[in-house]
Amino acid sequence: MNNTSFTLFDDPVIREQLLPFTYTRAIADIRIGISTLKEKWQHFLGVEKIQIKTVRYLQGKYGENSYPSTFINASINPNEDIVRAILSLNENEYLCQENLIIAIASNTTTEHGAKKKVRYEGILITIERPWDIFKKNEAILTADFYELTKN
């Protein structure tokens, strides 16, 4: 995939489940471990800028999404394996695990805009409920520390 632009999107169901945290911020701005989910994605993707797509009343805080992008579910904690799978997507493909859409290489944040489903079999850590921020924090904190101190 030659697309170098990335947008983290709020899955509407997960966003609703993460209330009250998501009343005033996108899922990507939730801090877990050492950094926010957005900062983690920037690190793993090797990009300085990443767009955010959220609900209308919050979108002004993040700016409009103005160019074609690969859409990534903001509730997923990144790792090298998932990033490799996302970067290998071709245009109009989407990556999923069971019913969870992980990423879409298309101009839409629904799988209906993409033509081919690619299944991901790896391990995912997702933040889907408020208690996940606390229950999964230790594992993510440990992974963050390792990632930021390697080399």
Side-chain angles (χ1 to χ4, degrees), residues 113-127:
K115 295 179 179 140
K116 183 179 178 195
K117 176 192 263 188
V118 178
R119 294 190 188 278
Y120 180 71
E121 301 298 331
I123 296 172
L124 286 181
I125 298 177
T126 59
I127 309 306

Side-chain angles (χ1 to χ4, degrees), residues 58-86:
L58 288 175
Q59 192 62 54
K61 181 178 180 179
Y62 299 101
E64 292 302 316
N65 300 311
S66 56
Y67 41 88
S69 190
T70 295
F71 291 88
I72 301 170
N73 189 327
S75 69
I76 296 169
N77 189 64
N79 61 49
E80 289 179 8
D81 189 45
I82 190 69
V83 168
R84 198 171 18 261
I86 291 169

Side-chain angles (χ1 to χ4, degrees), residues 41-95:
W41 279 106
Q42 287 173 303
H43 171 77
F44 274 94
L45 293 168
V47 297
E48 286 185 33
K49 183 166 174 46
I50 198 162
Q51 298 182 104
I52 293 178
K53 183 169 178 25
T54 187
V55 291
R56 183 180 303 245
Y57 78 90
L58 288 175
Q59 192 62 54
K61 181 178 180 179
Y62 299 101
E64 292 302 316
N65 300 311
S66 56
Y67 41 88
S69 190
T70 295
F71 291 88
I72 301 170
N73 189 327
S75 69
I76 296 169
N77 189 64
N79 61 49
E80 289 179 8
D81 189 45
I82 190 69
V83 168
R84 198 171 18 261
I86 291 169
L87 294 176
S88 70
L89 288 174
N90 294 310
E91 186 68 27
N92 293 318
E93 290 183 337
Y94 69 101
L95 186 66

Side-chain angles (χ1 to χ4, degrees), residues 34 40 43-46 78-81 83-84 141-151:
I34 294 174
K40 293 174 199 316
H43 171 77
F44 274 94
L45 293 168
N79 61 49
E80 289 179 8
D81 189 45
V83 168
R84 198 171 18 261
L141 183 62
T142 302
D144 284 356
F145 181 79
Y146 171 77
E147 183 63 30
L148 293 172
T149 59
K150 73 180 183 183
N151 298 329

